[in-house]
Amino acid sequence: VDIVAGRGNGDDTNGHGTHVAGIIAGVNNNTGIVGIAYNVKIMSVKAAMHNGTLNQADIAKAILYAYEMGAEVINMSFGGTACSIAVQDALATAYNRCVLVASAGNSGYPNEKSDYMNALPNYPAALSYVLGVISVDENGVESAFSNWDTRAFNGVEYEVCAPGENIMSTLPNNQYGFLSGTSMAAPIVSSFAAILRSEFTDRDKYPTKFIYGQLSSTSEYHATCIDPMVHSVNGRPHNLPQIVNLNDALTKLPKPEVNLYDYFVDDSTAISSKNNGN
């Protein structure tokens, strides 16, 4: 355990971090649960206080520490409505090598203003260079508690969905338990990212943005809106990102999203002498 913010001796006094770590890397030993990417190394970076709160300086320090110590995936199962320049600079630096994954948050709000709700973006998940993760249930329906994405392809974005309800994992003192939240969905995506990085090891050929594309644009499964009457944007359904699919991410390439919005035909002779103006 590496301490970067002077938070005691490094023990998990809250349980949240241990639960997240178990989802990623619980040992495959026929006991309790097994992590999705159980062969990875976990770097536990403690920047939060006992009650789970974090300040911006500690977040920035933790991100840079993980980057400098060689982390390839940084899971951030935390967030808030503010994101300092220091944190953004730290994340931009880490992006050069690390896959950055963050939970979308559990307030049930959109990241931009919708028809019936004001915007409440959750950072760092809403940053364009961080994979923001929305929670869905076992049927692919948005979790009622999860923050959600209004429009695709803008500067405030949650890019993927993953299961985040009633997830069983490790807890301190040799215990196991079920927790729900986008904090549980994010490490599923981080696990997939770690497996992809172990498959696509050449960072020059397969940079961070390649891993992002494989995770966010190869799955055939999209989430289902939990409340279409309320979760609407200009009277239409909001953006429903893909639910991550590891097999698809390993075996497929993203399909370009090309749309024809309008066209016109002009037969003027002023354009070409081959036109006849009729």
Side-chain angles (χ1 to χ4, degrees), residues 1-277:
V1 177
D2 299 300
I3 313 305
V4 302
R7 301 297 184 201
N9 60 4
D11 291 341
D12 182 0
T13 53
N14 180 280
H16 183 272
T18 300
H19 199 273
V20 168
I23 294 170
I24 299 171
V27 179
N28 186 15
N29 59 1
N30 297 316
T31 302
I33 58 100
V34 59
I36 297 169
Y38 56 83
N39 282 326
V40 303
K41 288 184 177 180
I42 286 286
M43 182 191 305
S44 175
V45 181
K46 187 173 184 179
M49 291 179 276
H50 171 71
N51 62 4
T53 61
L54 302 96
N55 64 56
Q56 297 287 310
D58 288 345
I59 294 171
K61 191 176 179 182
I63 292 165
L64 288 175
Y65 180 88
Y67 168 71
E68 290 166 357
M69 294 298 291
E72 294 186 289
V73 179
I74 298 180
N75 183 83
M76 295 172 282
S77 287
F78 60 81
T81 56
C83 190
S84 69
I85 296 298
V87 170
Q88 293 181 54
D89 287 348
L91 288 167
T93 298
Y95 176 82
N96 292 318
R97 184 184 63 238
C98 305
V99 178
L100 306 173
V101 181
S103 53
N106 306 321
S107 301
Y109 272 84
N111 53 359
E112 293 184 291
K113 192 177 186 306
S114 64
D115 292 344
Y116 302 103
M117 303 179 73
N118 290 323
L120 190 70
N122 194 63
Y123 294 100
L127 294 171
S128 59
Y129 47 91
V130 175
L131 273 182
V133 185
I134 298 167
S135 172
V136 296
D137 66 13
E138 66 273 19
N139 298 312
V141 179
E142 286 177 310
S143 300
F145 55 76
S146 183
N147 289 343
W148 46 280
D149 192 74
T150 55
R151 303 170 182 84
F153 312 125
N154 55 29
V156 184
E157 195 81 64
Y158 307 138
E159 290 86 356
V160 296
C161 299
E165 294 191 28
N166 299 315
I167 305 298
M168 184 180 181
S169 186
T170 48
L171 290 171
N173 302 316
N174 297 316
Q175 298 182 79
Y176 301 90
F178 293 88
L179 291 178
S180 296
T182 57
S183 285
M184 285 62 252
I188 291 176
V189 177
S190 293
S191 301
F192 288 6
I195 294 170
L196 283 169
R197 180 48 78 202
S198 70
E199 180 70 16
F200 301 103
T201 56
D202 187 339
R203 292 195 192 91
D204 292 330
K205 187 176 181 180
Y206 304 111
T208 298
K209 62 183 179 182
F210 172 84
I211 304 296
Y212 283 9
Q214 293 303 112
L215 289 168
S216 65
S217 303
T218 56
S219 175
E220 297 181 3
Y221 302 100
H222 282 259
T224 301
C225 182
I226 191 172
D227 194 349
M229 295 297 293
V230 175
H231 291 194
S232 65
V233 182
N234 296 327
R236 304 183 65 182
H238 71 96
N239 180 47
L240 290 162
Q242 295 179 7
I243 301 172
V244 287
N245 183 305
L246 180 57
N247 182 67
D248 288 348
L250 286 167
T251 59
K252 298 179 180 179
L253 290 173
K255 295 180 181 179
E257 295 198 20
V258 179
N259 299 283
L260 176 64
Y261 291 102
D262 198 3
Y263 71 95
F264 71 94
V265 177
D266 194 323
D267 194 34
S268 170
T269 56
I271 297 175
S272 172
S273 60
K274 296 180 180 180
N275 293 339
N276 59 17

